[in-house]
Amino acid sequence: GFYRSENDLETPFTSENLKNGEYEILKEKTDRKQNSSSQTAKILRMQVLSTRCALYLPGYSSCFLLSMLLPNLYTVFQVLLTTIEGYSIFCFFAMLVTNLGGPDETILKLQHADSDYCC
């Protein structure tokens, strides 16, 4: 529940002990704070995913260079290159889904879109 202050934790806010719509105002403030924190989490997730996508090129080029310098380990570096490429594509699509509002919102947007998609 909602409490009047940090010092008064025994008296929860309820609609019975509040007057003049204080309960609705406090509930709205709390909802706004929760929405703000979820928006911050979404922005942080987008930054992490975009950084992972941006690190694709340096990681790929470094492994490619090492595979040319050490031809005996070419097969090992091919596996590493394929893994880096797959992870980068995964992060890109995760970033798209996050930007659209999550998996459920993405499905709804694809279902109600005007044009046909391949999936």
Side-chain angles (χ1 to χ4, degrees), residues 39-58:
Q39 190 69 9
T40 304
K42 179 183 174 184
I43 291 171
L44 180 63
R45 175 132 174 91
M46 291 290 291
Q47 289 174 345
V48 167
L49 290 170
S50 63
T51 302
R52 288 178 183 169
C53 287
L55 290 175
Y56 163 72
L57 189 58

Side-chain angles (χ1 to χ4, degrees), residues 6-77:
E6 294 177 10
N7 299 332
D8 190 13
L9 295 179
E10 291 80 29
T11 311
F13 282 130
T14 61
S15 56
E16 293 85 34
N17 65 359
L18 288 176
K19 306 176 202 113
N20 300 330
E22 290 178 22
Y23 180 76
E24 286 78 18
I25 292 170
L26 288 170
K27 183 154 177 50
E28 183 179 316
K29 285 182 181 178
T30 304
D31 291 344
R32 199 176 315 137
K33 197 180 291 186
Q34 287 173 348
N35 288 339
S36 174
S37 65
S38 68
Q39 190 69 9
T40 304
K42 179 183 174 184
I43 291 171
L44 180 63
R45 175 132 174 91
M46 291 290 291
Q47 289 174 345
V48 167
L49 290 170
S50 63
T51 302
R52 288 178 183 169
C53 287
L55 290 175
Y56 163 72
L57 189 58
Y60 193 87
S61 60
S62 299
C63 286
F64 194 74
L65 177 66
L66 287 173
S67 69
M68 288 184 1
L69 294 175
L70 303 168
N72 295 340
L73 297 175
Y74 176 76
T75 307
V76 174
F77 284 116

Side-chain angles (χ1 to χ4, degrees), residues 75-95:
T75 307
V76 174
F77 284 116
Q78 272 308 106
V79 171
L80 191 57
L81 286 170
T82 306
T83 304
I84 290 171
E85 185 176 0
Y87 187 68
S88 178
I89 291 170
F90 167 77
C91 287
F92 178 75
F93 283 114
M95 187 171 58

